Amino acid sequence: MKINKVNHIGIAVKDLKESAALFERLLGIKPHVEEAPCQQVTEAVFKIGEGVEIDLLEPMGPESAVAKFLESRGEGLHHIALEVDDIDNELKAMEGKGVRLIDKEGREGVAGKIGFLHPKSVNGVLVELLQPREGGWH
Ligand code: CMX
């Protein structure tokens, strides 16, 4: 298993405009706002220091995983994303270590190929593995 770095920390919020204004005030940096229909969320992305991001996630609709999270658990830490070079290999390696996978293979996300590990296998934390796309977001 080779983790290159923490790519981002995802925080579920009810009102992106309000929360983005709060984080802008707290961090002193402006976010990049992007729609991610593949994940059914709108994101405000704050790049910190060497490039780790704090991503605020607002659901696009009631079917979004983030909408369900907000309903059952309220606002707060939603997931941690770890950067890897080869997502399919790393998912397979995790499965071999007994981790329950949400995704058996990497699938296309806005910033690259992504795959999730189930929070019930990782001490209650939803973990995303991300193989970044060359050139970044699309
Ligand atoms: N962090 C920690 N625990 C979580 C969680 C999260 N983000 N989301 C759900 N859970 C917990 C629930 O509270 C519940 O626990 P209890 O049974 O103790 O109440 C349990 O997981 C439910 O598990 P489930 O029935 O298997 O699954 P759900 O239908 O609730 O869906 C999950 C949960 C993680 C499988 C689903 O949200 C998922 O597939 N997520 C991956 C994709 C995603 O989250 N996309 C959002 C945006 C990502 C991005 O922008 O990068």
Side-chain angles (χ1 to χ4, degrees):
M1 181 75 195
K2 185 168 179 297
I3 304 294
N4 296 328
K5 63 172 210 168
V6 174
N7 178 277
H8 66 266
I9 294 164
I11 297 175
V13 302
K14 290 180 184 157
D15 184 327
L16 192 67
K17 213 170 155 198
E18 202 174 279
S19 297
L22 170 67
F23 274 72
E24 187 173 333
R25 199 154 47 79
L26 297 179
L27 301 174
I29 47 179
K30 288 203 175 294
H32 162 80
V33 177
E34 177 105 10
E35 294 204 335
C38 54
Q39 291 299 316
Q40 283 293 293
V41 290
T42 307
E43 309 189 355
V45 176
F46 292 86
K47 226 170 202 163
I48 314 278
E50 293 299 302
V52 176
E53 297 168 358
I54 293 180
D55 293 2
L56 305 182
L57 312 168
E58 181 191 68
M60 280 180 165
E63 289 313 309
S64 163
V66 173
K68 289 181 192 158
F69 178 89
L70 285 170
E71 203 177 301
S72 62
R73 301 168 69 107
E75 292 184 306
L77 180 64
H78 183 263
H79 68 273
I80 295 177
L82 305 176
E83 226 174 271
V84 297
D85 291 328
D86 184 337
I87 190 160
D88 293 334
N89 262 342
E90 300 302 351
L91 286 169
K92 219 172 273 163
M94 284 293 180
E95 191 171 35
K97 289 174 192 176
V99 173
R100 179 169 154 202
L101 302 182
I102 294 171
D103 301 291
K104 292 261 178 204
E105 291 180 344
R107 54 188 157 109
E108 290 303 322
V110 283
K113 276 176 119 182
I114 60 173
F116 288 87
L117 314 182
H118 200 285
K120 291 290 179 195
S121 286
V122 197
N123 282 152
V125 178
L126 176 62
V127 176
E128 174 183 347
L129 300 185
L130 164 65
Q131 178 184 326
R133 179 179 301 106
E134 296 215 3
W137 288 54
H138 66 68

